[in-house]
Amino acid sequence: MLVDVQGHATYCYTGGKPFDAAKPTAVFIHGVLNDHSVWILQTRYLAHHGWNVLAVDLPGHCRSAGAPPATVEAGADFVLALLDALGVERAALVGHSFGSLIALEAAGRAPGRVSHLALVGTAFPMPVSPALLQASQDAPMKAIDMVNTFSHSMLAPPPSTLGPGTWLYGGSRALMRRVLRSNPRANVFHTGFKACDDYRGGEAAMERVACPVLFVLGEQDQMTLPRMADGLMQAARLWQVVRLQSGHALMAEAPDGVLFALRNFLGTPAPQQADAT
């Protein structure tokens, strides 16, 4: 589905169901050099179990036009503008890595508009090593290889991903290359990494969050070490944590675990009641 957001066409994957603003809505926000496809399992399940899902391609990524968000704050403004464009008053926000910071900032800016906040593979601060930050600008293909080395704790996927013969490392690398090529005018790789590295508002945003918060962390995550979410937990009012045997690519390495964590956290929406006649 294409939506006009901030004057640009924005792509949202809806899990195979038409968008219905009357249903409870969950917005899924991907990380650096990813797109909506990393959420396929989780979004399709929720879309077929009472939820309205919007898995976005961030601006300047793949099917979405516009400039890629150069800051976490700009990403948060985009998410809130997306809700406005579709007439959604309140939604659950689910973000991975860079997307988790965007979701957090949006929930802190508009606490009354966020019903649930799920942070997957998150950390604050989220520093990027100077060598990797430089490589993302000067040698992005080399940096993609570096990121995939650190992002995965296994090479073969569990059955609930793409099935036997799938290579997690190679699949992720191909996706990142495709996302990078989708916008030759802007280096979305370096832009996203710099936004993560520059962000300073995480704990202040969390102190303003009014909804329940879920942390989904990978025990073997070398990109966002699990302990680096501790400060956010201490700043949160109501939170829970699920730790999975996974690296940073949690949706690929532990797809069922991520799905079950989100399903349990979000709950099952009450069935729609027909108006009495």
Side-chain angles (χ1 to χ4, degrees):
M1 178 176 73
L2 289 175
V3 185
D4 187 281
V5 182
Q6 298 175 321
H8 298 285
T10 295
Y11 179 76
C12 297
Y13 174 71
T14 62
K17 292 285 188 177
F19 175 79
D20 181 358
K23 292 182 179 179
T25 297
V27 178
F28 289 76
I29 310 162
H30 62 78
V32 173
L33 273 197
N34 282 176
D35 69 356
H36 71 277
S37 66
V38 297
W39 300 108
I40 290 296
L41 175 69
Q42 296 79 22
T43 50
R44 283 193 66 84
Y45 177 90
L46 291 174
H48 287 78
H49 289 81
W51 281 89
N52 204 41
V53 300
L54 299 168
V56 302
D57 283 356
L58 285 171
H61 293 67
C62 294
R63 302 187 192 184
S64 291
T71 64
V72 168
E73 292 84 355
D77 287 342
F78 161 77
V79 169
L80 296 175
L82 171 66
L83 299 183
D84 289 340
L86 289 170
V88 176
E89 294 184 4
R90 203 160 183 255
L93 301 184
V94 183
H96 173 246
S97 196
F98 176 35
S100 73
L101 297 182
I102 292 174
L104 169 61
E105 180 66 20
R109 289 186 172 210
R113 301 194 67 181
V114 181
S115 63
H116 303 74
L117 176 63
L119 307 176
V120 183
T122 197
F124 179 77
M126 195 178 286
V128 180
S129 74
L132 186 53
L133 191 61
Q134 191 66 41
S136 69
Q137 184 173 39
D138 298 337
M141 294 305 171
K142 177 182 178 181
I144 285 174
D145 290 344
M146 294 166 65
V147 167
N148 278 282
T149 296
F150 288 115
S151 290
H152 296 89
S153 64
M154 62 180 76
L155 294 180
S160 55
T161 53
L162 298 180
T166 302
W167 183 23
L168 290 182
Y169 178 93
S172 176
R173 185 173 59 184
L175 171 62
M176 296 179 78
R177 289 177 171 176
R178 176 168 60 82
V179 175
L180 183 65
R181 288 195 300 266
S182 74
N183 190 345
R185 296 183 180 181
N187 186 336
V188 295
F189 195 2
H190 180 74
T191 301
F193 264 1
K194 190 173 187 304
C196 293
D197 194 58
D198 288 347
Y199 183 54
R200 298 292 180 268
E203 290 179 3
M206 184 62 82
E207 290 173 355
R208 298 190 298 270
V209 171
C211 66
V213 182
L214 171 68
F215 295 86
V216 183
L217 307 176
E219 293 279 16
Q220 289 85 42
D221 191 338
Q222 297 182 71
M223 293 290 289
T224 53
L225 302 176
R227 60 179 172 77
M228 294 183 69
D230 289 352
L232 293 179
M233 294 178 190
Q234 293 171 10
R237 300 183 192 181
L238 179 63
W239 60 273
Q240 58 184 282
V241 60
V242 173
R243 301 180 188 274
L244 301 174
Q245 295 302 313
S246 171
H248 191 58
L250 287 102
M251 292 86 75
E253 290 195 40
D256 289 343
V258 174
L259 171 59
F260 298 155
L262 292 176
R263 181 195 64 184
N264 295 339
F265 177 60
L266 296 175
T268 302
Q272 299 280 330
Q273 298 292 327
D275 293 335
T277 58

